[in-house]
Amino acid sequence: MTARWITAALLLVASPGLAQEQEPVLEVGDRVRVTAPDVSRFPLVGIYAGLQYQNEAVELLIDETRSKVPLAQIEKIELSTGKGSRAWLGAGVGFFVFGIGGGLAAEALCTWGPGPTAPLVGENHESTRSCSTAEAAGVGVLTGLVGAGLGALVGSAFK
């Protein structure tokens, strides 16, 4: 019975310390995300440049431009991990470029060959090579998928 009371007392003493989260300390140069609906519909992401006490504003460096956001209008300031990349954009561009290129190349290769105006020596025959638009589109999709993979790799290298 006394062991239960001791355990309960230790949990009561230790629980307030365990429940508190440590707030990260904001330092100049940190990448932050500021939510201020009156200033911008979307969160502002930039480099924290400091706090101006006389103007009661947070100063951010967004795309080489200094911006001041009034403290009264800020709902939330978060440290940003900055892990955003352009992988999806690269995948889309790669799919489009490689897909169009692959489809056009497939169409050209399917119709390429000896035809009625260019018979082989001693032969007079029609072109035996032909493919449907669906086949060329299928090749375009397959090459587009290869392009999407390459584009995602290239896009993930840029932030």
Side-chain angles (χ1 to χ4, degrees):
M1 185 73 164
T2 57
R4 286 186 187 170
W5 283 105
I6 293 173
T7 305
L10 287 174
L11 287 175
L12 285 174
V13 171
S15 63
L18 294 175
Q20 290 179 345
E21 289 185 25
Q22 281 286 39
E23 290 293 322
V25 177
L26 205 57
E27 296 179 6
V28 173
D30 285 344
R31 185 178 170 94
V32 294
R33 183 180 309 115
V34 176
T35 305
D38 294 337
V39 177
S40 173
R41 286 180 32 198
F42 304 103
L44 301 168
V45 178
I47 305 298
Y48 177 69
L51 179 65
Q52 295 183 344
Y53 293 105
Q54 65 274 17
N55 295 340
E56 296 181 355
V58 172
E59 191 171 4
L60 297 174
L61 186 62
I62 302 173
D63 296 330
E64 307 290 329
T65 305
R66 288 194 179 270
S67 301
K68 294 177 186 172
V69 182
L71 285 174
Q73 295 179 350
I74 296 176
E75 281 186 3
K76 183 171 34 170
I77 298 178
E78 303 169 291
L79 279 174
S80 176
T81 57
K83 292 187 179 183
S85 72
R86 300 189 198 283
W88 285 108
L89 176 65
V93 170
F95 182 79
F96 181 75
V97 171
F98 276 69
I100 295 293
L104 291 175
E107 184 66 30
L109 288 175
C110 283
T111 58
W112 179 71
T117 58
L120 293 176
V121 177
E123 294 181 12
N124 189 8
H125 68 282
E126 301 261 337
S127 174
T128 58
R129 294 183 183 199
S130 66
C131 65
S132 68
T133 305
E135 291 171 329
V139 171
V141 168
L142 291 176
T143 56
L145 291 174
V146 170
L150 292 173
L153 287 175
V154 171
S156 65
F158 298 100
K159 293 199 183 230

